[in-house]
Amino acid sequence: MRAKSFCGSVDHAISRRGFLGATVAAGASAFADMTGLDQLGSSALASQMKKNQKRVILLWLAGGASQLETFDPKPGVQTGGPFRAIPTSVPGVHISELMPQMAKRMHKTCIIRGLNTKIGDHLNGAQLMLRGRRNEAGLKYPDIGAVVAREMARLESQVPDHVTFYTQTEGRYYALGDAGFFGARFAPMELTTENRPGNIRRRDGITALDHQQRADLRVLLSQQFAKGRSSSTLGSHNEAYERVRGIMASETLFDVTQEPQKVRDRYGPTQFAEQTLIARRLVEAGVPFVRIGRAWWDCHGQNFETHQEMVPELDHVMATLIDDLHERGLQDDVMVVTLSEFGRTPRINASLGRDHFASAWSMSMTGGGIKGGAVWGKTDPLGNTVSDQEVNAGTLFATLYAALGINPHKNYYVGSRPVPLVDEGIEEIDDLIA
Amino acid sequence: MIRCGSRLHRFSHTDSSFVRIVVAAPNPEKLKLVKDFGYPMPVFDVAPVPQSTRCFFGAADFQVSEVDLAATKWEPRKLYAHGSYVTTVTLAGSALISGGYDGQLIWWDTAKNQMIRSVEAHQKWIRKAVTSPDGRYVASVADDMVCRVWDAVSGKPVHELKGHAPQTPQHFGSMLYAVTYSADGKYLATGDKVGHIVIWDATTGKSVTTLEAPVMYTWDPKARLHSIGGIRSLAFSPDGKRLAVGGMGKVGNIDHLEGKARVELFDWQSGQTIAQQEHDGQKGLVNRLAFAPDGSWLAAAGGGTQGFFYFLNSDAKKILKDEKAPMHVHEFSLSPSGEEFVLVGHNRIAQYKLG
């Protein structure tokens, strides 16, 4: 565990939005145009980072993508739907015909088909599948983004530790980033309206020199105020300002136009594609965790039409991202995860839709310490139950953390209370870890 | 006008090539459900055998089946299989042509009960195939956004009609749902997901004109970032002058088929809209439209979580009869007299009669 100024008390949580807002109000930004951060993407630095840090890009398929139309097809049975299964680069493993590009890359990817997470409503399902367990009364657990940020962030980093994109409105509330008892230090920078963070640019009327002088004055006053005082709140306050300077400096990383047009074309023109490309830029520059919320898969009506529309986009963007990471030598250091709050019912309803279903569904993990070509779990012929190698949310998260090099059995402390990263008795799946 | 017993006959369509005598259609007020059968899977299309009580249907079990609706026992008989959902069946003489999401068109000899040929007709899902009124051609539409016209006997391609964009304006794959012939066989109409309609000269394969019904397509750019809807049904009036277009009005929550059932009626040659009718009491897609043989009414059927079956007057502005169908209706057949309907849909097949 990295030493941070966080005291471990929920009382000391501060709102990132709050301090960002305060900072902008002060017009502070000495780093609004530090394009040099792009150089973090250089091969030398990327190589250095490989040794130190793993990162995660979570493609959050909000609303619940169908396992039957992605990773666990059941063609020809009553519940199977119209899509065919196609062979993949892993002998004997078939996925939906909607994912031909991923089929060619299946040897790089691990599929879990045996998820039984039991919770079939959006809010509680999302909270579970972003944390690996349910909150307790009086204790909010950090989500995976906050955990990875805390474990993987570098003290000297000038980039955000935890970024989420969720630019659609449906389901955003269900999947808010939450650092839980870690406090606001590891809460996400949340982008909800556009692909670039707002409110972090230096205002036109303030020069860089003005800003620097204001920052120096604030430091001076803070140091004087801190004399003779011992306050974790004060420490957190000062750290927050330092973090803001880094975050402001990273603005250009969010600018997709900095990428060559051929790279942008390769990812594609959709919003999800652009955000995924930005995510690649961010992790390459050292951001430990980026989540892209791709809403909204909740197909109670017209499930097949909607999956025919959305899965090819997912297939293309996933495949492009995986290729891009490989070409940059980052395949072992960046894990790409696709996950939802649940899957969809095998039963097809009167609107040719599928409803919420958490009893037997699928997700994928690629790179970052996960064994490629692995398939874990099996569902029955109709897809109604897990028939072998069932996985719950805790086991999934223990496996993710272990693959990233984070001991899933470590303890954090809330006050003097030890809180394990995953619940007692949960074990990772060693067979899936490279 | 000519009277014949108790039924009214009249000349309904005249031009230089033919004169057709049409029996006045029965009153929709007399609609009644005759029989209602269960089926374990959604049924997508039906083709009744003329002068018989038999029909063929295609379903989500990948099968083309046959059943005698008058038999004392409901005993569908599976004939042959596709590689995916069978979405369309149409008769051309004694040949049955079926199409499905496997992209295949299969010709079946109904007299000999054997397959004639299977053609890789489309690159993507086949949504609908219809036989021309003279029985010589079959037109099919699919999500490769092409309408292909086939010789109904030889199965050889005749025309390839390209007039629908492969992608939506938001860069997602589009879908080509609907196709129909005019009663005289001179025109074809095709309709796609984004509400674009093309009228084709069936003889030359050339585009004659286009129409737009954009309300049928809902793209949600903010909340859910995907789409729903599309033109799901088309029907020419018996005189060929009007084109009815079916689908669903704008949808707020596109998780569900909760838009109002919607029918638009065009004077297609002038491009003028005659009616834009949304049903305040029925939600979902209008999957099938058919004019009465004399043009006096327009039948519409479809559904969302529940099914509907209703009749509009000839200018599609007034609801004459409104019926809750026993299932979400995907298709219906209409007898030449306009008296008998066979509705197929979500796990049911229902027989209706007028009078």
Side-chain angles (χ1 to χ4, degrees):
Chain A
M1 187 173 72
R2 300 186 67 86
K4 297 285 183 185
S5 64
F6 174 63
C7 70
S9 167
V10 292
D11 295 333
H12 295 162
I14 47 173
S15 157
R16 179 174 294 255
R17 281 184 177 172
F19 77 67
L20 279 177
T23 304
V24 169
S29 173
F31 300 95
D33 190 29
M34 286 184 62
T35 52
L37 276 173
D38 261 348
Q39 299 308 311
L40 289 169
S42 71
S43 58
L45 281 172
S47 176
Q48 181 62 33
M49 269 186 275
K50 279 169 64 176
K51 297 173 184 169
N52 303 331
Q53 184 204 38
K54 291 193 177 182
R55 286 140 277 164
V56 175
I57 297 174
L58 169 56
L59 305 178
W60 178 251
L61 308 181
S66 170
Q67 68 282 1
L68 294 148
E69 276 69 59
T70 51
F71 295 117
D72 194 11
K74 305 279 184 186
V77 302
Q78 190 174 12
T79 55
F83 298 106
R84 287 175 285 202
I86 55 173
T88 70
S89 58
V90 179
V93 176
H94 290 66
I95 62 174
S96 170
E97 65 174 319
L98 293 173
M99 306 192 81
Q101 295 186 55
M102 281 307 301
K104 293 176 185 168
R105 294 158 178 82
M106 197 48 55
H107 59 287
K108 300 175 180 175
T109 295
C110 163
I111 302 171
I112 291 184
R113 284 174 168 163
L115 281 172
N116 181 3
T117 53
K118 302 186 188 306
I119 297 176
D121 71 89
H122 289 295
L123 175 60
N124 290 301
Q127 293 202 348
L128 175 68
M129 298 314 298
L130 287 171
R131 289 164 182 74
R133 57 186 166 185
R134 302 190 71 173
N135 285 331
E136 295 176 25
L139 183 61
K140 290 176 69 179
Y141 291 111
D143 67 22
I144 183 175
V147 171
V148 174
R150 176 164 175 159
E151 296 295 330
M152 301 297 185
R154 292 169 299 133
L155 278 173
E156 74 283 11
S157 173
Q158 289 191 320
V159 295
D161 300 331
H162 182 187
V163 177
T164 65
F165 293 85
Y166 203 130
T167 43
Q168 294 86 63
T169 57
E170 189 66 23
R172 188 191 298 159
Y173 164 74
Y174 304 136
L176 292 173
D178 190 350
F181 64 75
F182 283 175
R185 169 66 181 82
F186 300 103
M189 171 191 279
E190 294 190 300
L191 287 87
T192 57
T193 55
E194 53 186 295
N195 292 347
R196 297 169 72 168
N199 302 329
I200 66 169
R201 295 173 199 163
R202 175 166 47 82
R203 286 184 171 174
D204 292 341
I206 299 173
T207 67
L209 179 61
D210 284 342
H211 171 260
Q212 186 59 54
Q213 289 175 339
R214 291 177 187 211
D216 291 346
L217 177 60
R218 192 200 63 76
V219 169
L220 177 66
L221 293 173
S222 291
Q223 287 172 344
Q224 289 180 347
F225 182 76
K227 284 179 181 173
R229 290 181 170 89
S230 176
S231 166
S232 56
T233 302
L234 183 62
S236 183
H237 181 77
N238 287 331
E239 185 187 343
Y241 271 95
E242 292 305 310
R243 293 291 305 150
V244 167
R245 292 155 69 97
I247 290 166
M248 292 169 81
S250 65
E251 184 195 359
T252 55
L253 291 174
F254 293 86
D255 182 2
V256 77
T257 65
Q258 303 282 322
E259 287 288 326
Q261 188 60 45
K262 67 177 183 182
V263 175
R264 299 178 65 187
D265 291 344
R266 186 180 180 193
Y267 275 79
T270 64
Q271 184 186 66
F272 178 51
E274 287 207 336
Q275 290 174 344
T276 303
L277 175 53
I278 294 168
R280 193 272 288 156
R281 287 172 59 79
L282 291 171
V283 298
E284 190 173 38
V287 176
F289 187 92
V290 184
R291 171 160 58 99
I292 300 168
R294 176 40 173 124
W296 181 245
W297 295 78
D298 197 22
C299 310
H300 296 284
Q302 301 282 282
N303 176 76
F304 309 119
E305 307 296 309
T306 302
H307 278 75
Q308 194 181 38
E309 184 174 52
M310 294 174 74
V311 178
E313 180 198 38
L314 173 65
D315 179 52
H316 176 75
V317 170
M318 274 183 77
T320 304
L321 175 62
I322 290 166
D323 288 354
D324 199 2
L325 291 171
H326 272 255
E327 289 161 16
R328 291 166 188 272
L330 293 169
Q331 68 274 13
D332 296 330
D333 307 296
V334 178
M335 182 188 293
V336 178
V337 178
T338 63
L339 190 61
S340 303
E341 60 262 50
F342 41 63
R344 307 215 71 82
T345 52
R347 175 185 168 273
I348 298 163
N349 67 30
S351 299
L352 293 178
R354 297 191 192 269
D355 302 306
H356 302 176
F357 188 66
S359 301
W361 58 289
S362 306
M363 58 83 63
S364 77
M365 306 174 278
T366 307
I370 287 290
K371 192 178 288 182
V375 177
W376 189 265
K378 187 177 178 184
T379 52
D380 68 44
L382 294 178
N384 288 316
T385 60
V386 179
S387 56
D388 192 25
Q389 295 177 326
E390 182 173 298
V391 176
N392 61 26
T395 302
L396 171 64
F397 275 62
T399 306
L400 287 169
Y401 291 139
L404 292 167
I406 303 170
N407 177 7
H409 309 293
K410 69 183 293 182
N411 283 320
Y412 300 106
Y413 286 88
V414 178
S416 59
R417 175 186 168 183
V419 179
L421 178 52
V422 299
D423 288 336
E424 298 285 352
I426 296 287
E427 296 294 334
E428 62 270 32
I429 305 168
D430 288 332
D431 289 352
L432 302 184
I433 299 169
Chain B
M1 294 289 192
I2 303 169
R3 284 200 175 277
C4 176
S6 63
R7 304 294 302 275
L8 181 69
H9 288 61
R10 66 187 180 208
F11 293 99
S12 68
H13 185 107
T14 59
D15 63 17
S16 57
S17 60
F18 73 98
V19 174
R20 199 156 60 101
I21 298 174
V22 176
V23 178
N27 186 343
E29 284 295 334
K30 297 178 179 176
L31 183 72
K32 63 181 180 186
L33 178 64
V34 179
K35 285 182 179 177
D36 179 16
F37 308 98
Y39 195 73
M41 301 287 281
V43 183
F44 295 112
D45 201 3
V46 60
V49 179
Q51 286 87 47
S52 88
T53 54
R54 293 184 300 126
C55 69
F56 301 98
F57 61 90
D61 56 5
F62 297 14
Q63 298 285 326
V64 176
S65 299
E66 180 186 21
V67 71
D68 186 345
L69 297 173
T72 53
K73 191 175 180 184
W74 167 246
E75 286 184 318
R77 182 168 66 99
K78 295 185 192 304
L79 296 179
Y80 60 96
H82 274 260
S84 185
Y85 285 7
V86 182
T87 49
T88 187
V89 287
T90 185
L91 280 163
S94 63
L96 177 72
I97 299 103
S98 60
Y101 286 168
D102 58 1
Q104 300 283 317
L105 280 179
I106 297 177
W107 272 254
W108 178 262
D109 186 325
T110 60
K112 297 178 180 174
N113 271 348
Q114 64 185 33
M115 188 180 295
I116 300 169
R117 73 182 67 84
S118 181
V119 176
E120 290 184 18
H122 291 274
Q123 295 296 312
K124 294 186 177 178
W125 287 3
I126 294 175
R127 300 288 188 164
K128 186 69 182 167
V130 290
T131 303
S132 63
D134 62 8
R136 293 176 60 194
Y137 303 103
V138 171
S140 58
V141 289
D143 288 349
D144 57 10
M145 307 307 286
V146 178
C147 175
R148 291 195 168 86
V149 180
W150 310 86
D151 185 295
V153 176
S154 69
K156 291 182 177 174
V158 177
H159 294 301
E160 193 173 68
L161 312 181
K162 295 182 177 178
H164 295 272
Q167 289 200 315
T168 66
Q170 295 79 27
H171 310 291
F172 292 89
S174 191
M175 297 157 190
L176 185 54
Y177 290 113
V179 61
T180 193
Y181 271 102
S182 61
D184 60 9
K186 288 185 175 178
Y187 299 104
L188 271 166
T190 52
D192 69 21
K193 180 169 187 173
V194 299
H196 183 61
I197 302 150
V198 184
I199 316 294
W200 309 88
D201 182 315
T203 306
T204 65
K206 304 291 185 189
S207 170
V208 176
T209 191
T210 61
L211 302 166
E212 304 296 334
V215 177
M216 303 289 189
Y217 173 65
T218 299
W219 166 256
D220 180 344
K222 188 169 179 61
R224 293 171 174 82
L225 206 66
H226 68 90
S227 68
I228 202 165
I231 291 173
R232 302 303 182 102
S233 49
L234 294 162
F236 282 100
S237 59
D239 64 6
K241 294 179 178 174
R242 296 175 172 192
L243 181 70
V245 180
M248 179 172 62
K250 288 296 182 192
V251 185
N253 177 356
I254 62 172
D255 296 348
H256 303 270
L257 291 172
E258 66 169 31
K260 292 178 181 177
R262 181 178 175 90
V263 175
E264 297 189 24
L265 187 63
F266 293 91
D267 177 331
W268 66 266
Q269 285 172 318
S270 70
Q272 288 190 324
T273 300
I274 298 168
Q276 294 182 331
Q277 202 279 341
E278 286 200 350
H279 195 312
D280 289 329
Q282 302 288 5
K283 290 182 177 179
L285 296 159
V286 174
N287 289 319
R288 174 71 158 119
L289 287 166
F291 278 95
D294 66 352
S296 61
W297 44 253
L298 174 63
T305 55
Q306 297 183 325
F308 54 74
F309 185 27
Y310 61 93
F311 292 74
L312 299 167
N313 67 342
S314 60
D315 63 1
K317 291 178 178 172
K318 182 182 174 187
I319 296 171
L320 302 174
K321 176 72 176 176
D322 194 9
E323 186 85 356
K324 181 180 174 183
M327 72 292 194
H328 178 136
V329 180
H330 291 302
E331 254 295 347
F332 65 70
S333 65
L334 173 60
S335 64
S337 67
E339 291 176 305
E340 295 176 5
F341 294 83
V342 178
L343 279 62
V344 297
H346 191 75
N347 299 17
R348 302 205 79 78
I349 295 175
Q351 244 186 320
Y352 282 85
K353 278 194 174 179
L354 295 180

